[in-house]
Amino acid sequence: MTNPVSVAQVYEWLGEVPDPEIPVLSILDLGIVRDVSVKDKVTVTLTPTYSGCPATEVIEDSVLEALKGRGIDDVVVNRVLSPPWTTDWITESGRDKLRQYGIAPPSRSREIACPQCESLHTELVSEFGSTACKSSWRCKDCLEPFEYFKCL
Amino acid sequence: MTSDETRIAYTLRLADNALVLAQRMVEMVAAEPELEEELANANFALDYIGQARMLYTHAGQLEGKGRSEDDFAFVRDEHEFRNLLLLEQPNGHFGDALVRQFLFETWYLHLLDGLIACSERGLSEIAARAIKEVKYHSRHSSQWLVRLGDGTELSHERVQASLDDAWRYTGEMFAADEIDVAFQREFDGPDLAAIHKLWRRDVEKTVAEATLRLPDDDWMLSGGKQGRHSEHLGFLLAEMQYLQRSFPGATW
Ligand SMILES: [Zn+2]
């Protein structure tokens, strides 16, 4: 039996599944969708961001729900570890969305730009933010506090 | 011992380390001295719980008897746990807990590095995921050791005592028994003697930076890896396993 749905269509739907911790990002923006296949059933392969990320199961349920909501009942969600996720997997459009949301995207540079005014005149307030992946910063020009998505 | 038995036993030791340490860290939730540490500790504990889950699941798959991560975590008895004695010791004060993290994480980082290169594919993949987290934890515990050691006279004295107390538990990390030897031989696993040198180098460096004194290597305690535990593990398990023991199979 061939599936009536295309891979591209599944990707489009997955682009509407938000990351529960940073809902402005979809799971595609976050770069955790490793594969989609539509052979006899729809299989979506995901990778966790961190080992203990409490969002992993929520995300898997949201994927099932999103596809079932579109009438695709035979769905399997797989989990792979290799290669491990790093912040390099976040897409360019994901980085733009983070900035608009007020979170500085991960950067290989030592200077972190303020997501509000783009100033590089910023300082680290705390290495540990509200979730494992974020640290707290402050902009010394516009004085706004902001979160930085740590580079990992 | 067959090679499957070797890798199952080896995986369970790693899983027990992660779970028992996580449980100790969970005991500190809402008891950290400041908010930043509260967040760091809780998030790091989550990483270890995540690692334990992956490792137990892997062991269950290798074993093929249908045991789940929860079966390993919640219905095994004390003598079946194979974690290091260091990790089951009570938290003590902030400096004690910190020294435990520092000594363990410095070792674990090198162990994971060795596991990435091993031929047991599941463990290699889990190690590649975990090392990214543990690198970060290890930076945190090293920084704190320096901050406390090179801090006030009182913090220096207290963290030196923590280091002296914990030292006797470190020998077990490097004492290769038949499981370590078999895993190294059959799966190209980590070499504990080589890791001992790297660990010693890293620990010496941070301890010196913290203006602390390295304790002498005299009498070392061991037995955790073989299931002979201190009296503290039983209490830890009693609390952790209470719900599953009272209501077997409960879910929510
Ligand atoms: Zn600014």
Side-chain angles (χ1 to χ4, degrees):
Chain A
M1 193 190 89
T2 47
N3 219 292
V5 67
S6 70
V7 170
Q9 178 64 76
V10 174
Y11 268 108
E12 198 182 314
W13 289 333
L14 294 178
E16 291 166 28
V17 176
D19 169 51
E21 287 188 347
I22 309 172
V24 66
L25 291 186
S26 77
I27 59 174
L28 287 186
D29 296 324
L30 195 58
I32 60 168
V33 179
R34 286 289 164 83
D35 190 48
V36 170
S37 87
V38 295
K39 281 182 194 125
D40 349 297
K41 53 189 160 205
V42 174
T43 306
V44 178
T45 305
L46 303 174
T47 193
T49 50
Y50 295 82
S51 306
C53 184
T56 306
E57 270 115 6
V58 179
I59 292 172
E60 292 175 358
D61 288 346
S62 319
V63 167
L64 289 175
E65 226 169 83
L67 297 180
K68 287 188 175 160
R70 267 95 175 192
I72 312 291
D73 286 322
D74 209 1
V75 183
V76 176
V77 177
N78 276 338
R79 209 185 287 183
V80 291
L81 288 177
S82 186
W85 181 86
T86 66
T87 44
D88 292 341
W89 289 81
I90 300 176
T91 62
E92 271 315 310
S93 82
R95 284 160 205 271
D96 289 340
K97 288 183 196 170
L98 279 173
R99 234 174 263 120
Q100 284 157 24
Y101 191 59
I103 298 176
S107 156
R108 292 272 167 212
S109 150
R110 290 193 71 81
E111 291 177 313
I112 307 304
C114 168
Q116 314 290 340
C117 74
E118 293 174 17
S119 163
L120 289 173
H121 198 208
T122 57
E123 63 178 349
L124 175 70
V125 178
S126 164
E127 208 174 333
F128 305 96
S130 55
T131 64
C133 57
K134 284 178 275 177
S135 54
S136 303
W137 287 67
R138 177 164 48 220
C139 174
K140 293 200 253 184
D141 284 332
C142 74
L143 304 179
E144 287 292 323
F146 65 92
E147 285 189 303
Y148 167 58
F149 201 124
K150 284 184 285 210
C151 196
L152 187 109
Chain B
M1 199 176 231
T2 68
S3 91
D4 266 344
E5 284 164 350
T6 299
R7 57 177 170 165
I8 292 167
Y10 195 88
T11 303
L12 285 175
R13 279 184 178 175
L14 294 168
D16 291 344
N17 279 346
L19 182 67
V20 168
L21 178 58
Q23 178 67 14
R24 282 293 182 220
M25 295 168 81
V26 165
E27 289 171 13
M28 296 192 289
V29 166
E32 290 286 341
E34 51 178 78
L35 188 57
E36 178 175 343
E37 283 315 300
E38 194 53 59
L39 292 166
N41 174 65
N43 281 319
F44 291 174
L46 269 177
D47 286 337
Y48 283 118
I49 291 171
Q51 291 171 24
R53 294 184 61 185
M54 294 191 293
L55 289 161
Y56 284 131
T57 302
H58 182 54
Q61 283 164 351
L62 291 174
E63 190 186 54
K65 291 182 189 158
R67 280 208 276 182
S68 71
E69 47 180 283
D70 284 358
D71 294 329
F72 286 113
F74 296 125
V75 294
R76 279 183 312 148
D77 289 326
E78 199 180 332
H79 69 272
E80 296 173 276
F81 276 76
R82 297 297 148 96
N83 57 280
L84 297 167
L85 295 175
L86 173 68
L87 306 180
E88 71 199 38
Q89 299 311 305
N91 289 323
H93 59 67
F94 181 76
D96 292 332
L98 182 271
V99 162
R100 173 192 63 206
Q101 303 295 116
F102 167 73
L103 295 172
F104 170 72
E105 284 166 347
T106 308
W107 172 78
Y108 193 36
L109 202 53
H110 290 298
L111 189 83
L112 289 172
D113 206 27
L115 283 171
I116 291 174
C118 82
S119 64
E120 211 294 315
R121 188 150 163 253
L123 280 184
S124 161
E125 289 187 357
I126 293 170
R129 170 69 265 151
I131 200 168
K132 293 179 181 302
E133 295 146 11
V134 177
K135 264 185 193 155
Y136 187 53
H137 300 187
S138 160
R139 208 167 71 222
H140 171 255
S141 56
S142 303
Q143 283 171 0
W144 263 107
L145 191 78
V146 173
R147 207 160 143 188
L148 293 178
D150 196 16
T152 66
E153 204 176 307
L154 181 64
S155 74
H156 175 92
E157 236 168 70
R158 293 190 77 184
V159 82
Q160 179 69 60
S162 308
L163 190 61
D164 294 343
D165 277 350
W167 198 255
R168 76 190 82 157
Y169 297 108
T170 58
E172 195 184 15
M173 302 195 286
F174 310 105
D177 67 358
E178 54 165 4
I179 293 172
D180 294 308
V181 170
F183 189 78
Q184 188 187 347
R185 188 182 57 231
E186 286 163 43
F187 297 97
D188 223 349
D191 172 358
L192 291 180
I195 290 178
H196 196 179
K197 291 200 187 87
L198 297 170
W199 178 84
R200 180 93 195 181
R201 178 200 68 194
D202 293 352
V203 167
E204 270 174 8
K205 185 172 168 280
T206 309
V207 162
E209 203 186 327
T211 72
L212 294 164
R213 189 183 49 75
L214 207 64
D216 296 326
D217 267 340
D218 41 21
W219 187 59
M220 293 288 179
L221 285 159
S222 64
K225 283 160 70 169
Q226 290 78 31
R228 296 188 308 275
H229 292 279
S230 61
E231 70 272 30
H232 306 296
L233 183 66
F235 293 98
L236 179 149
L237 295 181
E239 183 173 57
M240 186 181 80
Q241 298 181 333
Y242 172 79
L243 196 112
Q244 283 298 325
R245 297 280 191 182
S246 304
F247 305 96
T251 55
W252 60 85

